[in-house]
Amino acid sequence: MNIRFILNILGALLLIESGLLALPAIVALLYSEHDLIPILYSSVITFVTGGLFWLFNKKCKKEIGKREGFIIVGAVWVVFAFFGALPFILSGYIPSVTDAFFEAMSGFTTTGATILNDIEALPHGLLFWRAFMHFTGGIGILVLGIAILPIFGVGSVNLYRAENSVSFLSEKIKPRVKDYATLIFRIYLIITVLCILFYLPDMDFFDAVCHALSTTATGGFSTKNASLAAYSIYSQYVTIVFMLLGSTSFVLFFHVWKREWVKIAQNDEFRFYLLMIVAAFVFICAGLLIDNYGVEQAVRESLFNVASVVSNTGYTIHDYMLWTPPLWFIIFLLTFIGGCSGSTAGGLKIVRFLLLFRIIPVQFKKIIHQNAIIQVKLNGQNVSTERMSRTLAFFMIFLCSYVLGVFMLMIFGMDFTSAAGASIACLANSGLGLDGIGQASNFAGLSDIAKWICTFLMLIGRLELYSVLILFSPSFWKKQ
């Protein structure tokens, strides 16, 4: 195990984070608020720690294998969240280490769950940092690092492979890893800038920037206690559009860039994604109309909530727990599925759900025609047995992690409905749950142990289980 190289890379990434912390410091300076000094201290502490890690391990052997890649991927999110929590702790706005770490992990994993009861009491620098953590985590700390690490003399192929357990490059878009990371960042930045511009007619510049950073990253942190309900209908429709864009595969944006419209039309995952959104929207909208909602309100609330949970953003304009149970149960199911692979959304991912859905008729046919060779197809191509096995394994691990999360949260004081909602809210990086952890409440009332459980669920959900859980496998640590 090349420990020194692991510390070297973590040091380089911490240097990046110290630079990122300079941005909220500039915001605090512009607004002349007292959070400037705590943010600067946080940046300096992060810079010194990262600099020492990088400098003292600079002459290490520059070799990285899969094991080192998995360790770095798991460790960097924890390390980033730890140092990202410093501005909250040092400023005194979130003095509890547990609460501050929870908030930072929620930010970087784009979960959007919060322990803050009065968000508007925070100064502008900390509000911007909350949104910027979403932006950094949405693009992927490692994807950001992949484009920058070569400056420090670090290769990054195994880091990329370790973080991305979903092979969404199945359409043969295979430039160099660094080039692909740069392309993703450009698309991500363009969408964010467009979102800011569309928000400006209704929001001031600061709120427009913060909400654009959160919306594009499908994070959900807002600068207002009422979330998007604090703004006009116009901003809510804008948010719907950009939440859906954020949960769409970046591969499709690559095809748009290349004007390859046929590939977009033939993409099975994208078609199922649109079908699922339309079906859920029609069902919920019809239910709200039956409950005597106005037409515009029914359309907007149903579409907003569907977009929010499919993208796992977690924005709110109305508490869906006030709807009839069949309607909010649909929302609960959509949280499990999530968005497209290769997007900033969480959940199982639609491509996996689609493969699981398609294997059912194949198995029925094999029972009738036992000697027939029948394969699952995706985008017109046969899906390998190995990929199907990985998909089934992921589903079982996801389900077991969810059930275990519910059980552990119930042990530490939560009722079943709230535990069921909190577990999927964190594991799917949605931030929205049921009952006590719904749209009208947050995670502030949980015990410290329950918060640490939720924090762990956020981490494994963001890294799609394998990258973290593999570290607990005895075979991973055996000498090869």
Side-chain angles (χ1 to χ4, degrees), residues 345-376:
L348 277 169
K349 295 295 195 308
I350 289 173
V351 66
R352 291 195 183 101
F353 184 80
L354 183 58
L355 289 176
L356 290 170
F357 190 74
R358 288 186 173 180
I359 199 174
I360 297 173
V362 169
Q363 292 304 310
F364 284 155
K365 290 177 182 178
K366 285 185 176 181
I367 291 173
I368 299 172
H369 308 286
Q370 296 182 2
N371 297 322
I373 300 176
I374 307 171
Q375 288 186 293
V376 176

Short mmCIF file of all heavy atoms in Angstrom, two decimals, residues 345-376:
data_model
loop_
_atom_site.label_atom_id
_atom_site.label_comp_id
_atom_site.label_asym_id
_atom_site.label_seq_id
_atom_site.Cartn_x
_atom_site.Cartn_y
_atom_site.Cartn_z
N ALA A 345 -27.48 13.66 -9.94
CA ALA A 345 -28.54 13.10 -9.09
C ALA A 345 -28.06 11.85 -8.37
O ALA A 345 -27.06 11.23 -8.75
CB ALA A 345 -29.77 12.78 -9.94
N GLY A 346 -28.80 11.47 -7.33
CA GLY A 346 -28.47 10.27 -6.57
C GLY A 346 -29.44 9.15 -6.85
O GLY A 346 -30.04 9.07 -7.92
N GLY A 347 -29.64 8.27 -5.85
CA GLY A 347 -30.56 7.16 -5.99
C GLY A 347 -29.96 5.96 -6.70
O GLY A 347 -28.76 5.90 -6.96
N LEU A 348 -30.82 4.99 -7.01
CA LEU A 348 -30.37 3.79 -7.72
C LEU A 348 -29.82 4.11 -9.10
O LEU A 348 -28.95 3.41 -9.61
CB LEU A 348 -31.54 2.82 -7.88
CG LEU A 348 -31.87 1.90 -6.71
CD1 LEU A 348 -33.21 1.22 -6.94
CD2 LEU A 348 -30.78 0.86 -6.53
N LYS A 349 -30.31 5.14 -9.72
CA LYS A 349 -30.06 5.57 -11.09
C LYS A 349 -31.00 4.80 -12.03
O LYS A 349 -31.23 3.60 -11.89
CB LYS A 349 -28.60 5.34 -11.53
CG LYS A 349 -27.58 6.20 -10.76
CD LYS A 349 -27.77 7.67 -11.01
CE LYS A 349 -26.59 8.52 -10.58
NZ LYS A 349 -26.11 8.36 -9.22
N ILE A 350 -31.53 5.51 -12.98
CA ILE A 350 -32.56 4.99 -13.87
C ILE A 350 -32.04 3.82 -14.71
O ILE A 350 -32.77 2.86 -14.96
CB ILE A 350 -33.10 6.11 -14.77
CG1 ILE A 350 -33.95 7.06 -13.92
CG2 ILE A 350 -33.92 5.57 -15.93
CD1 ILE A 350 -34.42 8.29 -14.63
N VAL A 351 -30.78 3.88 -15.12
CA VAL A 351 -30.25 2.80 -15.97
C VAL A 351 -30.29 1.46 -15.23
O VAL A 351 -30.59 0.42 -15.82
CB VAL A 351 -28.83 3.13 -16.46
CG1 VAL A 351 -27.81 3.15 -15.34
CG2 VAL A 351 -28.41 2.16 -17.55
N ARG A 352 -30.00 1.49 -13.94
CA ARG A 352 -30.04 0.24 -13.15
C ARG A 352 -31.48 -0.23 -13.00
O ARG A 352 -31.77 -1.42 -13.12
CB ARG A 352 -29.40 0.45 -11.78
CG ARG A 352 -27.90 0.67 -11.81
CD ARG A 352 -27.34 0.51 -10.40
NE ARG A 352 -25.90 0.77 -10.36
CZ ARG A 352 -25.36 1.90 -9.93
NH1 ARG A 352 -26.15 2.88 -9.52
NH2 ARG A 352 -24.06 2.07 -9.92
N PHE A 353 -32.38 0.71 -12.69
CA PHE A 353 -33.78 0.35 -12.53
C PHE A 353 -34.34 -0.21 -13.84
O PHE A 353 -35.10 -1.18 -13.83
CB PHE A 353 -34.58 1.58 -12.10
CG PHE A 353 -36.03 1.31 -11.82
CD1 PHE A 353 -36.43 0.76 -10.61
CD2 PHE A 353 -37.00 1.58 -12.77
CE1 PHE A 353 -37.76 0.51 -10.34
CE2 PHE A 353 -38.34 1.32 -12.52
CZ PHE A 353 -38.72 0.78 -11.30
N LEU A 354 -33.93 0.37 -14.95
CA LEU A 354 -34.40 -0.10 -16.25
C LEU A 354 -33.91 -1.51 -16.53
O LEU A 354 -34.66 -2.36 -17.03
CB LEU A 354 -33.91 0.86 -17.35
CG LEU A 354 -34.35 0.58 -18.79
CD1 LEU A 354 -35.86 0.58 -18.89
CD2 LEU A 354 -33.75 1.62 -19.74
N LEU A 355 -32.65 -1.80 -16.20
CA LEU A 355 -32.11 -3.14 -16.40
C LEU A 355 -32.82 -4.16 -15.51
O LEU A 355 -33.12 -5.28 -15.94
CB LEU A 355 -30.60 -3.15 -16.11
CG LEU A 355 -29.71 -2.43 -17.13
CD1 LEU A 355 -28.26 -2.41 -16.67
CD2 LEU A 355 -29.82 -3.08 -18.50
N LEU A 356 -33.10 -3.77 -14.27
CA LEU A 356 -33.84 -4.67 -13.37
C LEU A 356 -35.25 -4.92 -13.89
O LEU A 356 -35.77 -6.04 -13.80
CB LEU A 356 -33.91 -4.04 -11.97
CG LEU A 356 -32.60 -3.99 -11.18
CD1 LEU A 356 -32.78 -3.13 -9.92
CD2 LEU A 356 -32.15 -5.39 -10.80
N PHE A 357 -35.85 -3.90 -14.45
CA PHE A 357 -37.20 -4.01 -14.99
C PHE A 357 -37.22 -4.94 -16.21
O PHE A 357 -38.15 -5.73 -16.39
CB PHE A 357 -37.70 -2.62 -15.37
CG PHE A 357 -39.15 -2.55 -15.73
CD1 PHE A 357 -40.13 -2.63 -14.75
CD2 PHE A 357 -39.55 -2.43 -17.05
CE1 PHE A 357 -41.47 -2.57 -15.07
CE2 PHE A 357 -40.89 -2.38 -17.39
CZ PHE A 357 -41.86 -2.45 -16.40
N ARG A 358 -36.17 -4.86 -17.04
CA ARG A 358 -36.12 -5.64 -18.27
C ARG A 358 -35.73 -7.09 -18.07
O ARG A 358 -35.96 -7.94 -18.94
CB ARG A 358 -35.17 -4.98 -19.27
CG ARG A 358 -35.73 -3.69 -19.86
CD ARG A 358 -34.85 -3.12 -20.94
NE ARG A 358 -35.50 -1.98 -21.59
CZ ARG A 358 -34.96 -1.28 -22.58
NH1 ARG A 358 -33.75 -1.60 -23.04
NH2 ARG A 358 -35.62 -0.27 -23.12
N ILE A 359 -35.11 -7.39 -16.94
CA ILE A 359 -34.69 -8.78 -16.73
C ILE A 359 -35.88 -9.67 -16.38
O ILE A 359 -35.83 -10.90 -16.56
CB ILE A 359 -33.61 -8.87 -15.62
CG1 ILE A 359 -32.86 -10.19 -15.73
CG2 ILE A 359 -34.22 -8.70 -14.24
CD1 ILE A 359 -31.69 -10.31 -14.77
N ILE A 360 -36.98 -9.08 -15.92
CA ILE A 360 -38.15 -9.87 -15.52
C ILE A 360 -38.76 -10.65 -16.69
O ILE A 360 -38.90 -11.87 -16.61
CB ILE A 360 -39.21 -8.96 -14.84
CG1 ILE A 360 -38.63 -8.37 -13.55
CG2 ILE A 360 -40.48 -9.75 -14.55
CD1 ILE A 360 -39.53 -7.32 -12.91
N PRO A 361 -39.12 -9.97 -17.82
CA PRO A 361 -39.68 -10.76 -18.93
C PRO A 361 -38.67 -11.74 -19.53
O PRO A 361 -39.07 -12.80 -20.03
CB PRO A 361 -40.08 -9.69 -19.96
CG PRO A 361 -39.29 -8.48 -19.61
CD PRO A 361 -39.13 -8.53 -18.12
N VAL A 362 -37.38 -11.40 -19.45
CA VAL A 362 -36.36 -12.32 -19.95
C VAL A 362 -36.36 -13.61 -19.14
O VAL A 362 -36.26 -14.71 -19.70
CB VAL A 362 -34.96 -11.65 -19.90
CG1 VAL A 362 -33.86 -12.68 -20.16
CG2 VAL A 362 -34.88 -10.53 -20.93
N GLN A 363 -36.48 -13.48 -17.82
CA GLN A 363 -36.51 -14.67 -16.97
C GLN A 363 -37.77 -15.51 -17.22
O GLN A 363 -37.72 -16.74 -17.21
CB GLN A 363 -36.44 -14.25 -15.50
CG GLN A 363 -35.11 -13.67 -15.09
CD GLN A 363 -33.95 -14.60 -15.37
OE1 GLN A 363 -33.97 -15.78 -15.02
NE2 GLN A 363 -32.93 -14.08 -16.04
N PHE A 364 -38.90 -14.85 -17.47
CA PHE A 364 -40.12 -15.58 -17.81
C PHE A 364 -39.95 -16.38 -19.10
O PHE A 364 -40.36 -17.55 -19.19
CB PHE A 364 -41.30 -14.61 -17.96
CG PHE A 364 -41.83 -14.11 -16.65
CD1 PHE A 364 -42.50 -12.88 -16.59
CD2 PHE A 364 -41.69 -14.84 -15.48
CE1 PHE A 364 -43.00 -12.41 -15.37
CE2 PHE A 364 -42.19 -14.38 -14.27
CZ PHE A 364 -42.85 -13.16 -14.22
N LYS A 365 -39.34 -15.76 -20.09
CA LYS A 365 -39.12 -16.44 -21.37
C LYS A 365 -38.18 -17.63 -21.21
O LYS A 365 -38.36 -18.68 -21.84
CB LYS A 365 -38.55 -15.46 -22.39
CG LYS A 365 -39.54 -14.39 -22.85
CD LYS A 365 -38.90 -13.41 -23.81
CE LYS A 365 -39.89 -12.32 -24.23
NZ LYS A 365 -39.24 -11.32 -25.14
N LYS A 366 -37.17 -17.49 -20.34
CA LYS A 366 -36.22 -18.57 -20.13
C LYS A 366 -36.87 -19.76 -19.40
O LYS A 366 -36.45 -20.91 -19.59
CB LYS A 366 -35.01 -18.07 -19.33
CG LYS A 366 -34.06 -17.21 -20.16
CD LYS A 366 -32.81 -16.84 -19.37
CE LYS A 366 -31.83 -16.07 -20.23
NZ LYS A 366 -30.58 -15.72 -19.50
N ILE A 367 -37.86 -19.46 -18.56
CA ILE A 367 -38.57 -20.55 -17.88
C ILE A 367 -39.36 -21.38 -18.90
O ILE A 367 -39.40 -22.61 -18.83
CB ILE A 367 -39.53 -19.97 -16.81
CG1 ILE A 367 -38.72 -19.37 -15.66
CG2 ILE A 367 -40.47 -21.06 -16.27
CD1 ILE A 367 -39.56 -18.64 -14.63
N ILE A 368 -39.96 -20.68 -19.88
CA ILE A 368 -40.74 -21.36 -20.91
C ILE A 368 -39.84 -22.03 -21.93
O ILE A 368 -40.04 -23.18 -22.33
CB ILE A 368 -41.68 -20.36 -21.62
CG1 ILE A 368 -42.66 -19.76 -20.60
CG2 ILE A 368 -42.44 -21.05 -22.74
CD1 ILE A 368 -43.49 -18.63 -21.15
N HIS A 369 -38.79 -21.31 -22.35
CA HIS A 369 -37.84 -21.84 -23.35
C HIS A 369 -36.47 -22.00 -22.68
O HIS A 369 -35.62 -21.12 -22.76
CB HIS A 369 -37.74 -20.88 -24.54
CG HIS A 369 -39.08 -20.52 -25.14
ND1 HIS A 369 -39.81 -21.38 -25.91
CD2 HIS A 369 -39.81 -19.37 -25.04
CE1 HIS A 369 -40.94 -20.79 -26.29
NE2 HIS A 369 -40.96 -19.58 -25.77
N GLN A 370 -36.30 -23.14 -22.01
CA GLN A 370 -35.13 -23.32 -21.15
C GLN A 370 -33.81 -23.33 -21.91
O GLN A 370 -32.77 -22.98 -21.35
CB GLN A 370 -35.29 -24.62 -20.36
CG GLN A 370 -36.47 -24.60 -19.41
CD GLN A 370 -36.58 -25.87 -18.60
OE1 GLN A 370 -35.75 -26.77 -18.71
NE2 GLN A 370 -37.64 -25.97 -17.79
N ASN A 371 -33.81 -23.71 -23.16
CA ASN A 371 -32.56 -23.78 -23.92
C ASN A 371 -32.30 -22.52 -24.75
O ASN A 371 -31.28 -22.44 -25.44
CB ASN A 371 -32.59 -25.00 -24.85
CG ASN A 371 -32.65 -26.30 -24.07
OD1 ASN A 371 -32.03 -26.42 -23.01
ND2 ASN A 371 -33.40 -27.28 -24.58
N ALA A 372 -33.21 -21.60 -24.70
CA ALA A 372 -33.05 -20.38 -25.50
C ALA A 372 -32.02 -19.45 -24.87
O ALA A 372 -31.87 -19.39 -23.64
CB ALA A 372 -34.38 -19.66 -25.62
N ILE A 373 -31.30 -18.74 -25.73
CA ILE A 373 -30.34 -17.72 -25.28
C ILE A 373 -30.99 -16.36 -25.46
O ILE A 373 -31.09 -15.84 -26.58
CB ILE A 373 -29.02 -17.81 -26.07
CG1 ILE A 373 -28.39 -19.19 -25.88
CG2 ILE A 373 -28.07 -16.71 -25.62
CD1 ILE A 373 -27.15 -19.40 -26.71
N ILE A 374 -31.45 -15.79 -24.38
CA ILE A 374 -32.16 -14.51 -24.42
C ILE A 374 -31.43 -13.53 -23.52
O ILE A 374 -31.19 -13.81 -22.34
CB ILE A 374 -33.62 -14.66 -23.94
CG1 ILE A 374 -34.32 -15.77 -24.72
CG2 ILE A 374 -34.38 -13.34 -24.09
CD1 ILE A 374 -35.68 -16.13 -24.17
N GLN A 375 -31.06 -12.38 -24.06
CA GLN A 375 -30.30 -11.40 -23.29
C GLN A 375 -31.08 -10.09 -23.14
O GLN A 375 -31.89 -9.73 -23.99
CB GLN A 375 -28.95 -11.12 -23.96
CG GLN A 375 -27.97 -12.29 -23.83
CD GLN A 375 -26.60 -11.93 -24.38
OE1 GLN A 375 -26.44 -11.72 -25.58
NE2 GLN A 375 -25.62 -11.84 -23.49
N VAL A 376 -30.77 -9.41 -22.06
CA VAL A 376 -31.32 -8.07 -21.83
C VAL A 376 -30.61 -7.10 -22.76
O VAL A 376 -29.40 -7.18 -22.96
CB VAL A 376 -31.12 -7.64 -20.36
CG1 VAL A 376 -31.61 -6.21 -20.15
CG2 VAL A 376 -31.82 -8.60 -19.43
#
